[in-house]
Amino acid sequence: MTLRQQFSLLASMLVVVLLAGNLVVTVINGRDYFEQQLNGRAYDAATSLALSMSQIATDDSVQQTRLMDVLFDRGFFEDITFVRTDGETLHRRAREAFSSGGAPEWFERLVPLELIPAEADVTKGWQRLGTVTVISHADFAYRDLWGMIRAEMIWFAWVLLIALVALQLILRLLFRSLVRVEQQALAISERDLQVQENIPRARELRRVVEAMNKMVRKLQAIFAEQAEMTERLREESYLDAPTGLLNRRGFDQQFGHILARDDEHSGVLIIMQIQNFAEFNLNAGRQAGDDLLALLGKSLEQWRADYPHSLLGRRAGADFSLFVPCADRTQAEDIVQQAFGLMSVSALSQRNELSFHMGAVFLQGDQDDPVDAFSRADAALRQAQRQPTPKFQLYQRADSDVDEWTAGEWHTLLNTILEQQSIQLQFLPVMSNHDQQLLQIEVFSRVSWEDQVLSAARFWPMIEQHRLAARFDLVVVEKVFKAIDGLSGAASDIRFCINLSPASVLDEDFHQALAALLAQYPEQARRVALEVPEFALYSAEHAIARLALKLQPYGVHIGIDQVGTGTMAFAYLQRLPLAYVRIDGSFNRGVHQAQDHKFYIQSMVQIAHNLDLLVLAEGLEEAPDVDAVRQTGVDGLGGYYFTRPLADLNEAVNWKADSATR
């Protein structure tokens, strides 16, 4: 029972007790008054009748009866009896004074009137003739008393109703501040730190609100300080100050993680070098050089719109590196040409004294050497630099005889795959760091085509290029629902985590279609978590918030993947209704040798735990890294160190960490 309900009940009981007490007092006083009046009337009537009888002959019974009838016919008396000295008795008795309009029987039984018979002696001279006894009729008293009580009860009912309504209005006004405090406390528990602007006038309530606001401001300051420190560490360690892009260390770390992980990759590595930048910097001044670098950074950031998974970095001086995921060599050539055209018409278009060249290499395979990749891209750059004018060159391999699909063939292939739902699911278990039990299952997708199994690195760039991400994500979600349909009674607390494309999150039609799909599979929906990469928050944060609000009734969790690769400040952890964050594998690889990585992960754990968020680490492949990440306090760990993705869902659900570790 709420405090407001308790106050209402207490006040209502008090009003009812007061009114009931007043009513009881009124009934008692009214009963006493009517008893006094009835008994007095009976005494007066007996005295008057005795006096009248004393004036007639002693044996004149007819005249005596007439005198009794005159008094009895008035209807105010229930019983009139005259007992003569010779033993003869004259009676006049009545049961009811009137047939209708009296008081209810239960009222008469509840409020009895004590009527005392009034007696008077009839004498003539010194001779006693007899005794007259008169009893008043109570029906009139009950009628009047019942009418009075009924009117007072109606009045009391109106007073009670008005009092209760007024009480509720007053309590609603007084408790409005407490309701806001309650909402504020609930918002704090949901990681939404709100400050109340309306301060109540009541001293006690004002103090409570001010104390809550003070606590919220302190929490905001603590969170802001932690987030700022962690963000500053990331910027100083991995970002280039003039351009805002990744520095050499940050680029090499993420690029090396993509190539070195035991999974297929596909993309084009581009190196761009501006000639004579040192002379330009010397002649125009360092500020002009920094302005040029900043302009180059903004131009390269335009890749985020068309290629959100790309890596952009400045290596040194005027040397830049880009890695853009793509499906095949044909798409790689188009990307390099687009990058060259972007630089030619934007940052370097009006600076004729500066020329630039690009060298690129298409990379595809299960594993690759970052040093070798940069060597081949650098060889292509040297070929391009043989020309005095800006030029680009894609590295050519002597044994490159692989047939490539055209954009039209890719479009036909992908549409056929989506229509036939030729998508294979693989499941990667995530282990709890606390009890070594299964915590989550990451879902990966592969496509089958003509006896080939294509990984996401091969087909996903073409999915995004042909704007099929929303259709693909819906098919994957539905296949996951069907896959776990037979597991409703087993491991019901395990979440299946599905990655969503930023393009899908931005598509309002996708929101509607996904909600309809969740309504079709309500039981399975409660076991699903949807996650988006951190770099997508820059353009899709509001869309993610709308999607999370729409999915909340279905019990779907929302998570952020690849934490550490984006440029957003960590304030989004407060703004979005998240359940967990997953730290990118590039921070976990080699963490046992990088104290700054470990400190970054520890900071993320502290920030997330303060907001009741789970922190998961992915991409773990070496035992020293697993031990180091465990020491940071993360909640879950995943990677090929424990197991490779499993094609059998039952095997994934029944997976045990102790039997799968290497």
Side-chain angles (χ1 to χ4, degrees):
M1 184 180 295
T2 64
L3 183 61
R4 179 178 174 180
Q5 290 174 336
Q6 293 180 13
F7 270 106
S8 300
L9 181 59
L10 180 61
S12 301
M13 291 178 59
L14 180 61
V15 173
V16 170
V17 168
L18 290 176
L19 294 180
N22 190 23
L23 185 61
V24 170
V25 172
T26 301
V27 171
I28 294 175
N29 291 337
R31 183 191 63 183
D32 294 343
Y33 172 78
F34 280 107
E35 284 182 352
Q36 181 180 3
Q37 292 296 319
L38 290 175
N39 292 330
R41 176 183 292 177
Y43 179 78
D44 293 341
T47 303
S48 176
L49 182 59
L51 182 61
S52 299
M53 287 184 174
S54 64
Q55 304 299 321
I56 61 178
T58 304
D59 55 353
D60 192 353
S61 299
V62 176
Q63 189 66 23
Q64 292 173 350
T65 301
R66 288 179 179 178
L67 291 176
M68 292 175 61
D69 289 340
V70 171
L71 185 63
F72 182 78
D73 289 343
R74 296 180 182 178
F76 296 116
F77 304 100
E78 180 182 356
D79 184 269
I80 301 176
T81 303
F82 175 54
V83 181
R84 297 195 305 189
T85 55
D86 58 3
E88 185 179 354
T89 303
L90 300 178
H91 292 284
R92 289 292 183 271
R93 294 180 181 178
R95 293 184 177 180
E96 296 180 355
F98 34 81
S99 58
S100 60
E105 293 183 1
W106 62 267
F107 180 75
E108 295 181 4
R109 292 193 299 268
L110 184 64
V111 188
L113 294 175
E114 185 179 356
L115 301 180
I116 302 175
E119 296 181 351
D121 292 333
V122 179
T123 60
K124 189 173 184 182
W126 297 101
Q127 182 182 4
R128 180 174 176 273
L129 302 180
T131 302
V132 175
T133 303
V134 178
I135 301 176
S136 295
H137 208 302
D139 283 0
F140 293 100
Y142 278 121
R143 182 193 62 183
D144 296 342
L145 182 60
W146 169 247
M148 180 181 64
I149 298 302
R150 184 174 58 183
E152 191 162 354
M153 288 176 63
I154 295 174
W155 167 250
F156 284 170
W158 278 107
V159 170
L160 179 61
L161 178 62
I162 296 173
L164 292 180
V165 172
L167 176 64
Q168 292 301 318
L169 294 176
I170 294 174
L171 289 178
R172 183 177 181 180
L173 180 63
L174 292 177
F175 277 81
R176 186 179 301 173
S177 299
L178 287 181
V179 172
R180 288 197 294 264
V181 171
E182 180 184 6
Q183 294 173 347
Q184 185 182 28
L186 293 175
I188 293 174
S189 66
E190 296 295 332
R191 306 184 300 275
D192 184 10
L193 303 181
Q194 300 177 354
V195 176
Q196 288 197 44
E197 300 296 338
N198 297 325
I199 307 299
R201 296 181 180 180
R203 184 180 62 180
E204 293 80 2
L205 294 178
R206 183 175 68 251
R207 289 180 177 177
V208 172
V209 172
E210 290 175 347
M212 290 291 294
N213 286 344
K214 185 177 181 180
M215 181 184 68
V216 168
R217 291 189 179 96
K218 285 187 176 181
L219 290 176
Q220 289 176 336
I222 292 173
F223 177 82
E225 183 179 354
Q226 291 178 333
E228 182 181 359
M229 179 182 63
T230 306
E231 185 66 25
R232 186 168 60 250
L233 172 64
R234 182 173 66 173
E235 292 178 356
E236 293 176 354
S237 301
Y238 309 112
L239 296 183
D240 178 64
T243 62
L245 306 176
L246 293 171
N247 58 21
R248 180 168 185 167
R249 181 189 180 192
F251 185 91
D252 290 349
Q253 172 185 311
Q254 297 188 29
F255 179 64
H257 174 68
I258 294 175
L259 299 189
R261 64 188 180 187
D262 194 8
D263 193 9
E264 187 175 2
H265 59 265
S266 180
V268 58
L269 173 64
I270 304 173
I271 297 178
M272 183 181 72
Q273 187 176 77
I274 301 176
Q275 303 296 323
N276 304 322
F277 180 75
E279 296 181 5
F280 173 81
N281 204 13
L282 181 62
N283 296 330
R286 184 175 298 275
Q287 184 61 44
D290 290 343
D291 293 341
L292 174 61
L293 292 176
L295 184 60
L296 286 169
K298 292 181 180 179
S299 299
L300 291 175
E301 279 290 350
Q302 296 181 18
W303 286 100
R304 297 294 183 191
D306 297 328
Y307 304 98
H309 297 273
S310 60
L311 300 179
L312 311 173
R314 177 191 174 205
R315 305 196 65 77
D319 295 348
F320 293 83
S321 56
L322 298 80
F323 178 76
V324 185
C326 61
D328 51 33
R329 185 179 180 85
T330 301
Q331 189 185 15
E333 293 178 354
D334 294 338
I335 290 175
V336 176
Q337 187 173 2
Q338 292 175 13
F340 183 81
L342 175 65
M343 292 295 100
S344 299
V345 299
S346 58
L348 299 174
S349 60
Q350 302 299 327
R351 301 184 182 275
N352 298 325
E353 69 273 20
L354 294 176
S355 62
F356 71 100
H357 300 82
M358 286 185 176
V361 59
F362 174 66
L363 304 172
Q364 188 178 78
D366 293 337
Q367 286 186 331
D368 214 331
D369 184 8
V371 176
D372 180 63
F374 272 104
S375 297
R376 285 180 282 166
D378 186 69
L381 177 64
R382 300 308 167 202
Q383 294 179 9
Q385 288 177 338
R386 294 174 184 173
Q387 302 295 328
T389 58
K391 186 176 176 58
F392 67 91
Q393 181 67 45
L394 184 63
Y395 180 80
Q396 300 288 343
R397 293 182 57 180
D399 58 348
S400 179
D401 55 354
V402 180
D403 294 333
E404 302 289 352
W405 290 323
T406 65
E409 291 173 335
W410 268 110
H411 188 266
T412 302
L413 180 150
L414 294 175
N415 274 288
T416 303
I417 288 174
L418 291 175
E419 290 173 0
Q420 299 177 355
Q421 295 192 359
S422 302
I423 300 176
Q424 297 179 1
L425 300 181
Q426 294 185 346
F427 308 95
L428 182 65
V430 177
M431 181 190 70
S432 171
N433 189 29
H434 305 294
D435 55 11
Q436 318 303 314
Q437 298 299 314
L438 185 62
L439 181 64
Q440 286 184 343
I441 293 180
E442 286 192 81
V443 180
F444 300 111
S445 57
R446 303 288 186 267
V447 298
S448 301
W449 182 256
E450 296 181 352
D451 299 329
Q452 296 186 57
V453 178
L454 306 180
S455 68
R458 287 286 309 279
F459 68 81
W460 192 256
M462 301 307 298
I463 287 282
E464 291 184 332
Q465 179 176 335
H466 293 287
R467 303 184 185 280
L468 298 173
R471 284 183 58 191
F472 186 89
D473 286 341
L474 286 173
V475 172
V476 170
V477 172
E478 185 173 8
K479 288 184 73 70
V480 171
F481 285 163
K482 292 179 179 179
I484 66 178
D485 189 23
L487 300 174
S488 58
S492 59
D493 56 339
I494 298 175
R495 290 276 175 172
F496 293 82
C497 304
I498 307 172
N499 279 278
L500 294 183
S501 168
S504 299
V505 175
L506 291 170
D507 189 347
E508 294 296 333
D509 292 335
F510 172 80
H511 293 193
Q512 302 296 333
L514 180 60
L517 188 60
L518 295 174
Q520 185 178 351
Y521 297 90
E523 295 296 329
Q524 291 77 14
R526 287 194 289 269
R527 304 182 60 184
V528 165
L530 303 177
E531 55 188 44
V532 294
E534 187 187 52
F535 60 76
L537 293 176
Y538 183 78
S539 59
E541 181 180 350
H542 295 294
I544 294 173
R546 293 195 302 272
L547 179 62
L549 185 63
K550 188 180 294 292
L551 302 184
Q552 189 175 11
Y554 302 100
V556 178
H557 285 181
I558 299 295
I560 300 297
D561 190 22
Q562 301 179 22
V563 171
T565 61
T567 58
M568 289 284 292
F570 294 126
Y572 71 81
L573 297 176
Q574 285 183 288
R575 297 191 295 264
L576 294 177
L578 304 176
Y580 66 91
V581 294
R582 197 184 308 276
I583 298 177
D584 187 69
S586 61
F587 289 92
N588 303 319
R589 183 182 295 274
V591 67
H592 68 286
Q593 296 178 334
Q595 290 298 319
D596 54 345
H597 286 197
K598 188 174 182 179
F599 179 76
Y600 173 79
I601 298 174
Q602 288 175 332
S603 300
M604 278 299 306
V605 169
Q606 185 177 8
I607 293 173
H609 283 179
N610 287 337
L611 298 174
D612 294 330
L613 300 178
L614 294 179
V615 181
L616 311 173
E618 65 176 2
L620 293 166
E621 299 185 11
E622 302 294 336
D625 292 337
V626 173
D627 295 336
V629 171
R630 278 176 172 165
Q631 295 173 5
T632 63
V634 298
D635 300 289
L637 307 100
Y640 292 172
Y641 172 81
F642 303 100
T643 179
R644 294 185 60 81
L646 305 171
D648 189 343
L649 179 58
N650 289 302
E651 183 180 356
V653 171
N654 297 318
W655 174 83
K656 300 295 183 182
D658 53 358
S659 62
T661 54
R662 295 186 294 189

